[in-house]
Amino acid sequence: MPELPEVETLCRQLDATIRGAALVAIVVYDRKLCSNDARIGKKVLGARRRGKEILIFLRQGPILRIHLRMSGRLLWKNDGQEPPHTRCKFVFDGGSLHFVDPRRFGTLAACRNLEDLPAVPDPLGEWMTDAFIRTASARRLAIKSFLLDQNVIAGIGNIYACEILFQSGIHPWRRTADMTRGDWIRIRGAADAVLKKAIDCRGTTISDWTDLYGRKGSFQNHLRVYGREGKRCRRCSSSIAREVMNGRGTYYCPTCQIP
DNA sequence: CCCTATGTTCCCAA
DNA sequence: CTTGGGAACATAGG
């Protein structure tokens, strides 16, 4: 169930693996994903992340857009094996990229130009501008809901929102209108640190997420609050709380994170 | 049977 | 218009 660090990991590995290769065909097993097989015959220029979306650029061809949603994974295979729940595969001249997705929420789309896609700030870019703080402070929803809004800042999901807020010392239910400038700066620093560390760890494997080559990530060993309800806070020994916000499990330390 | 799940979108009510 | 709640999508696991 990938967020920014997992998608970034896949894109880096994908870029290293398929850049320069020819995409020969797309074989579709799940008609819900896409209706027809396709013969492509285009060379891959590269793969990049945009928010939580994976973009594959083809020379003189469309940009392929893959969104993994909840249970999607990408696996590189060159041993002819077909993993269970494969919805489609991208056949290259040196192997196949399998889109595996048990819950079938993932999507595959295509577009002509990068400019066709909405431009949304990325947490690893220069997003925390004065203009951003002014706009954000004019709103009054919970800071966690705000960080999860992909139209505002693209790539942060439920795990990393919880972790970033813990690292910032800010309560998930704090209203954006009540954030100080210092709070925003701490959010920026925490987002940078947490997301980069998670990328170094090749993501978080809680149940079955793996990278392009089937290896687990290791950021689960660094989680401070997510999934730790009732356990001791590693900073102050308080019991980590879990409450529901917008239908998502929300973990925080009632002592370290002030409302 | 119950509940939960790293995502997104839509409908509805306050 | 904004915000939040709930359901939907479809499946697996505890």
Side-chain angles (χ1 to χ4, degrees):
Chain A
M1 310 182 187
E3 304 180 32
L4 184 149
E6 290 75 27
V7 177
E8 180 67 23
T9 298
L10 283 177
C11 285
R12 290 181 185 183
Q13 296 175 333
L14 207 47
D15 194 74
T17 302
I18 63 173
R19 178 185 290 269
L23 173 56
V24 179
I26 303 176
V27 180
V28 180
Y29 302 104
D30 181 358
R31 291 290 168 209
K32 178 183 178 240
L33 181 68
C34 168
S35 57
N36 289 312
D37 290 5
R39 266 179 288 283
I40 309 286
K42 305 279 188 191
K43 185 174 160 185
V44 175
L45 295 175
R48 268 171 34 196
R49 179 183 61 79
R50 183 134 178 156
K52 295 176 191 169
E53 202 165 48
I54 296 152
L55 304 182
I56 298 175
F57 295 82
L58 302 175
R59 187 163 60 87
Q60 311 222 342
I63 302 169
L64 300 180
R65 307 167 55 191
I66 299 170
H67 200 301
L68 300 171
R69 297 288 183 105
M70 287 292 269
S71 62
R73 293 163 56 189
L74 294 182
L75 283 173
W76 180 255
K77 306 293 282 181
N78 48 23
D79 58 3
Q81 299 262 318
E82 294 267 319
H85 307 294
T86 297
R87 300 182 67 197
C88 79
K89 70 177 174 188
F90 302 85
V91 183
F92 294 88
D93 46 18
S96 291
L97 177 66
H98 293 247
F99 187 173
V100 177
D101 185 16
R103 289 174 70 177
R104 300 166 68 210
F105 289 164
T107 55
L108 171 63
C111 68
R112 249 319 125 189
N113 306 296
L114 254 192
E115 297 72 44
D116 298 340
L117 304 175
V120 179
D122 188 276
L124 297 182
E126 294 296 316
W127 59 291
M128 192 63 77
T129 61
D130 288 343
F132 181 91
I133 292 175
R134 273 197 303 275
T135 309
S137 301
R139 302 241 261 148
R140 43 188 323 95
L141 71 169
I143 179 63
K144 184 185 177 231
S145 297
F146 184 77
L147 292 177
L148 287 175
D149 185 344
Q150 302 299 301
N151 300 306
V152 168
I153 176 81
I156 297 172
N158 201 34
I159 291 180
Y160 297 107
C162 291
E163 295 298 316
I164 288 165
L165 288 171
F166 173 80
Q167 190 84 356
S168 309
I170 296 170
H171 197 283
W173 265 270
R174 172 92 64 86
R175 301 260 160 186
T176 49
D178 298 332
M179 297 272 290
T180 67
R181 185 179 179 79
D183 291 332
W184 287 115
I185 301 302
R186 283 210 305 287
I187 293 263
R188 177 185 62 182
D192 196 68
V194 167
L195 296 173
K196 282 180 177 168
K197 174 68 176 174
I199 291 169
D200 286 344
C201 289
R202 298 193 333 277
T204 302
T205 301
I206 287 173
S207 52
D208 52 11
W209 191 82
T210 67
D211 69 10
L212 192 61
Y213 311 110
R215 298 179 301 177
K216 294 179 194 290
S218 61
F219 194 75
Q220 62 277 14
N221 301 321
H222 302 273
L223 296 174
R224 303 297 196 94
V225 286
Y226 186 86
R228 301 193 66 245
E229 182 185 15
K231 299 199 170 126
R232 286 181 328 185
C233 173
R234 298 198 198 281
R235 262 187 69 216
C236 76
S237 296
S238 297
S239 180
I240 298 298
R242 177 189 183 275
E243 289 177 63
V244 174
M245 180 191 295
N246 302 338
R248 322 292 303 275
T250 299
Y251 300 85
Y252 63 98
C253 172
T255 304
C256 294
Q257 295 173 257
I258 54 179

